[in-house]
Amino acid sequence: MQPHEMSARAAADAIRRGELTSEALVRACLDRIARTEDRIRAWTWLEPDQAIAQAREADRAQASGARLGALHGLPVGIKDIFDTADMPTECGTILHRGRRPREDATVVALLREAGAVIMGKTVTTELAVYAPGKTTNPHDERRTPGGSSSGSAAAVAAGMVPLAVGTQTNGSLIRPASYCGVYGFKPSHGAISRYGVLKQSPTLDHVGVFARSVEDVALIARELFAWDGKDLDVAPGSHLELPARWENALPGPPRIAFVKTPLWPQAEGITQEAFVRLAKRWSDVVTEVDLPPPFDSAVEWHRTIMESDLANSFEDEYARGRDRLSEVLVQMIERGQRYTGVSYSKACDGMVVLQRALERVFAEYDAILTPATQGAAPRGLAATGSPMFCTIWTLCGVPAISLPVLQGEDGMPMGAQLAGRKGHDAHLLGVARWLVEREYRHGGSAGGSPQGDGA
């Protein structure tokens, strides 16, 4: 196995044992990028010399006997809406071209403290909404990688980096993870600070991560659950407590609710068939559960909140550069300008109703199993696919993870989404690990990184 193919956990352990240097790992990732970036186009800013300099500093620190962080020497991709003091942050729009922040976002600062090598900035859609960037799907460059965290998901899937960070306001983590065949984790709302991250909607914005295993998701997420006093939605004492051994994550087999959601008729036939087979394969722990009628309004309530907040957050961009924004974003902002305070308030009240209803579900079940997307990544690069199967879980602020255990059209990867109780992120990761190990034992697929230079 080449260094760029190693899991983050395996690479971190090899570095600590002196069997691998950070420089060797970073150089292997840079070589992988050099061979594949022309096709995948995952990066908007990458300076190899700067990445190598960070790796050499990590190796010097280890040689000196310094205390090593959990991510020591590991390269991480940063979605280009996170402020970085030593790199541009342009947010996928010409309106922010050349922008140089004065300080790191909290997430970037925490990654540096944990010893990570900040590899570069990955492509985002325009202002992290819908208009696509340049990235293609590593499994089929004619297909979308999803969005808005397109570059981060593609970079991890292609073996360019073992870890990357992204955000989700609707489906921007789970969707690209599903399309690209990697693990995408959206923690509970308010678990990770958004200070220094492009603001869309304070009510809906989440920071999350991409990796190639549940263990690697936990490895990086654990370092990011920290209170900084700068994001008012992050409570003091925010942390991710994980058991010392994964075998102890659950007292017994989990109880899983298979929830089709009101959007089930819009899932592709192959998706419906795949989930029915999956639920049958896991029938000893899975029970089908229907959501009550208020969930029929979730998409409408989410749209009201998101578009109203976009109109507020992007007021300056709209005022000075409407003609340089995509038509889809302009339309969303202008709809947001027309919503009334009453409609916004009703949508927020509806969100609370749904959150309480989910609490009743999670009183009986450890997690919810549901589609991550309508199907495999759609053909074409003019759009990023629908986030509809992520909307409920983002609106309600519960943790969610996409597991690459299914296949769609032409063998393309497709994720199974697990959602958990808000604030119980570690428990959700324990359920995810349990299910993935079970899938491995039964010969299923639990990862979809494309191999070879033709990715």
Side-chain angles (χ1 to χ4, degrees), residues 91-93 123-135 144 146-150 172 175 200 324-330 332 381-385:
C91 304
T93 174
V123 172
T124 176
T125 60
E126 176 199 36
L127 291 171
V129 191
Y130 288 140
K134 62 182 180 179
T135 308
T144 178
S148 61
S149 306
S150 48
S172 295
R175 181 164 88 261
Q200 285 190 1
R324 290 181 288 175
L325 297 174
S326 67
E327 191 57 32
V328 65
L329 181 53
V330 167
M332 293 176 74
L381 301 175
T384 59

Side-chain angles (χ1 to χ4, degrees), residues 17 34 56 117 121 190 203 209 270 295 329 438 440 442 445:
R17 291 192 301 265
R56 287 175 175 169
V117 172
K121 307 302 285 288
T203 304
V209 300
I270 193 171
F295 283 89
L329 181 53
R438 178 185 178 126
Y440 269 128
H442 289 81
S445 171

